[in-house]
Amino acid sequence: MSRPDWLENPWKQNPWFESVAVAQRRAQKRLPAPVYGALVAGSERGQTIHDNQAAFAEIGLLPHVAGHHADRAMSRTVLGHEVSLPVLISPTGVQAVHPDGEVAVARAAHARGTLMGLSNFASKPVEEVVEACPRTLFQMYWTGDRDVMVQRMERAQKAGAVGLIATLDWSFSMGRDWGSPEIPERIDLKTMVRMAPQVATKVRWLRQFGPRHIPDLTAPNLAPPGGSAPTFFGAYYEWMTTPPPSWEDVAWMRETWGQISGTPFLLKGVARVDDARRAVDAGVDAISVSNHGGNNLDGTPATIRLLHPIARAVGDQVEVLMDGGVRRGSDVVKALALGARAVLIGRAYLWGLAANGQAGVENVLDVLRGGIDSALLGLGLSSIDELTPETLIVPEGFHVS
């Protein structure tokens, strides 16, 4: 076996990283400021995005000193598919941090035995992503009229998507206390000249794209049949100008997808027990307790605070997932103990993608897998199936219902 090139050249950075935090620091060094700023941005004062991570630190784990298990299991069936670890890829928009974008993420998900979530605001077509990861869930916002949404569902089904994620939690909060990063509508010569001072120092990031791989800021999965893909801002405008959905619309979306595909339907963005019950009434197969990664209504509690009451209310009727703030394997363990079937990650894998492409995403999943395993070992458990709320030390008043 050949030695890694970074061992041959000690001055070359080891591409492997030991934590998501290290991946984030590498991504910050590698990416132009506007690109990095778009990834870390939260709405308004950033209260929710901060709490998403900080809340995990309030929960404790009490380890055993002996009686540990040599083998520990973390596979689980989620949305009808067995995954090797209870961590799924959450759909995120235009992934211009790497030229392979969502395709690289999909390959990593497939290599590590988990499910891929693809945003309909993605920069790569659903057909390419499903080819890279056959177990891909297609995500849709409520945009356009019903005929347009049916056309997009049919395209996803024809491509081979194994489920649909409906993301409906969006209040279009624009104001950020630190200002919004500049995101151009398209990358052309004029834009490149104007933004040159911000990207000229990011030589490694520029080199990986090369002259033939200019970052794509279009949304190909929103292209009409035979038409061209809208720009990200064109897609965003359609989203903002579409009247918000009712619960009857959610039921229609679920029923329509069932007729087209017959595969699972997940409603993402649930933050209240009463909404979770309405989702059950609408016929969904699963929900994700989510606050849009802190990019929605600022002041929404961390999702880990919301999880247990929701899981207790509807967890025997639908699968309950959670996303928001997961950065460590111990975070995953805490979420599972409080009732999540699995978690979805967003920014965590984007840091890995920015730091080292497909291998970086695989690295993030390996970091989380190792952290889950370490937590199970310390807790004296042989499987994630043994996790319960009693496994944790949860402060009084932590849960929000």
Side-chain angles (χ1 to χ4, degrees), residues 34-66:
V35 179
Y36 180 77
L39 296 184
V40 297
S43 59
E44 297 183 342
R45 66 164 57 89
Q47 176 180 338
T48 295
I49 191 173
H50 171 76
D51 195 37
N52 269 352
Q53 293 185 61
F56 278 106
E58 297 180 28
I59 301 174
L61 301 169
L62 196 60
H64 285 286
V65 69

Side-chain angles (χ1 to χ4, degrees), residues 173-243:
S173 175
M174 298 295 184
R176 295 187 175 103
D177 288 3
W178 50 88
S180 295
E182 180 184 6
I183 303 174
E185 184 169 7
R186 58 178 56 85
I187 303 294
D188 52 23
L189 181 59
K190 182 179 179 181
T191 301
M192 288 190 286
V193 170
R194 179 170 53 81
M195 300 191 72
Q198 300 180 70
V199 301
T201 59
K202 306 298 180 179
V203 177
R204 294 179 64 197
W205 183 78
L206 285 171
R207 188 184 301 143
Q208 68 181 353
F209 281 95
R212 296 184 181 180
H213 295 90
I214 295 173
D216 188 357
L217 300 182
T218 62
N221 294 304
L222 298 182
S228 58
T231 65
F232 176 82
F233 285 100
Y236 194 80
Y237 178 78
E238 178 189 75
W239 187 15
M240 290 186 69
T241 55
T242 301

